[in-house]
Amino acid sequence: MRRLVLMASTVVFGYGLAIGEVQDRQAAGLPRPGAPSLPTEIVGDTPPPPFDPGGPCPTNPAYPANTEVVVLAPSPLGYGSIQYPRTPLPPHTVALTFDDGPWPAPRGDQRVFDILEERCIRAVFFHVGTMIQQQPALVNEAVRRGHGVASHSWSHPMNLSRWSDEAGQAQIHRGFIALNAAAAPEVAEPFFRFPGLDDNPRLRAWLDREGIIVVGAEADADDWKQISAAEVHRRAVQNLEQTDGGVLILHQIHPRTVEALPGLLDDLNARGYRFVRISARPAAVPAARPPGRRPQSAR
């Protein structure tokens, strides 16, 4: 693992094959499937305690103070009706997820944290390994604020489904090494989202054997396209209305997404949607901070 971390520190964030399959073939000499550096299954038989909304959110009474945690059971098929079975969420329910960070710009993770906290909402951040190495403090900040953190690969290749099994597994493995180094395996969610949702059955089966749950989505906002913040808002609402809620993919690395987020959340709340956080473990979500205790401080 030490060798992996030292190797990883020399790599910069890039899409597609910017990192290259060659480096990931070299990394494939690291622990193979079944090694302990990937999170293992942690879903138990004990059901979570009944959800307590905790009254109104101190900073925005239109929202509840707590976000309910919905536990996803292991599944070899994955979750997210864009390509997998529907995520088992109640109708008119939204689970927010953010991809491609952690992103340090003022309009990246820190701003998203504040927007969510103002509404007492918790989400899951699917992080890229190369970015984690550059911004590990933002991973810890997400956890401290009650959000989930999960893996979105090591370098975000957009054609992972066409890689060899060996190289694809190494790419995914390296992402989890980085995530666990920043957040610890018992804290990081054993979730994986394929970059661009570009998967193949062999990698999904390998992830299932490793105790990792593949999470896709029911809806997106096309915010990775060159569209306005208003259009991000419109498309997110339109797609969620068509699916009656579900997991929503957003990308906090784009200023248009961060700009759209407050109005989008308030619009969905006004339409009667409720917000939940998906997880693989029953766990209490930290209650909202009382007014006045604001934190100091971003296909």
Side-chain angles (χ1 to χ4, degrees):
M1 182 180 299
R2 177 177 175 81
R3 174 172 168 265
L4 176 60
V5 173
L6 290 175
M7 289 172 59
S9 64
T10 64
V11 186
V12 296
F13 178 73
Y15 289 98
L17 294 174
I19 303 303
E21 185 170 346
V22 173
Q23 290 183 342
D24 286 277
R25 285 183 180 278
Q26 295 171 345
L30 292 158
R32 302 304 304 149
S37 48
L38 282 178
T40 55
E41 182 181 326
I42 49 178
V43 176
D45 296 328
T46 304
F51 173 61
D52 178 6
C57 177
T59 49
N60 191 328
Y63 294 82
N66 297 329
T67 300
E68 183 173 6
V69 173
V70 174
V71 178
L72 301 184
S75 169
L77 301 177
Y79 292 106
S81 59
I82 287 177
Q83 63 197 131
Y84 310 126
R86 183 177 175 86
T87 309
L89 300 180
H92 232 55
T93 299
V94 178
L96 296 174
T97 63
F98 294 87
D99 285 7
D100 294 359
W103 193 254
R107 298 181 69 84
D109 288 48
Q110 290 287 2
R111 178 61 186 135
V112 169
F113 294 158
D114 289 342
I115 292 169
L116 295 176
E117 188 161 301
E118 288 162 5
R119 293 156 178 81
C120 298
I121 295 173
R122 305 295 182 255
V124 176
F125 290 79
F126 284 82
H127 288 320
V128 175
T130 52
M131 294 300 295
I132 292 171
Q133 279 210 328
Q134 297 176 42
Q135 301 293 330
L138 287 177
V139 180
N140 284 296
E141 179 70 359
V143 172
R144 187 183 73 80
R145 298 220 195 185
H147 304 295
V149 291
S151 179
H152 196 37
S153 80
W154 165 248
S155 62
H156 203 289
M158 292 295 288
N159 58 354
L160 190 55
S161 70
R162 298 193 294 277
W163 288 28
S164 70
D165 291 354
E166 180 180 338
Q169 290 173 14
Q171 165 73 212
I172 296 170
H173 189 102
R174 295 176 77 182
F176 274 106
I177 289 286
L179 181 67
N180 292 342
E186 66 273 13
V187 174
E189 293 284 358
F191 290 159
F192 180 75
R193 175 173 286 153
F194 283 89
L197 303 183
D198 183 47
D199 72 344
N200 67 43
R202 298 185 310 279
L203 285 175
R204 287 203 315 273
W206 173 74
L207 284 161
D208 181 58
R209 292 194 299 271
E210 293 292 336
I212 307 301
I213 301 172
V214 174
V215 177
E218 272 66 47
D220 66 8
D222 291 335
D223 58 342
W224 50 276
K225 297 180 179 179
Q226 294 296 324
I227 58 178
S228 67
E231 185 63 10
V232 169
H233 178 155
R234 189 192 71 80
R235 294 189 189 189
V237 171
Q238 173 182 276
N239 291 337
L240 285 169
E241 291 279 74
Q242 290 175 351
T243 61
D244 198 18
V247 174
L248 175 66
I249 296 179
L250 296 169
H251 299 79
Q252 78 275 24
I253 67 172
H254 299 304
R256 55 185 166 269
T257 304
V258 182
E259 181 183 346
L261 189 59
L264 170 60
L265 298 179
D266 291 346
D267 188 0
L268 292 172
N269 188 59
R271 291 169 181 261
Y273 286 89
R274 64 188 183 99
F275 297 92
V276 299
R277 177 167 78 84
I278 55 171
S279 178
R281 55 174 68 81
V285 176
R289 294 180 178 85
R293 292 181 60 191
R294 305 300 299 155
Q296 298 300 313
S297 346
R299 190 176 184 181

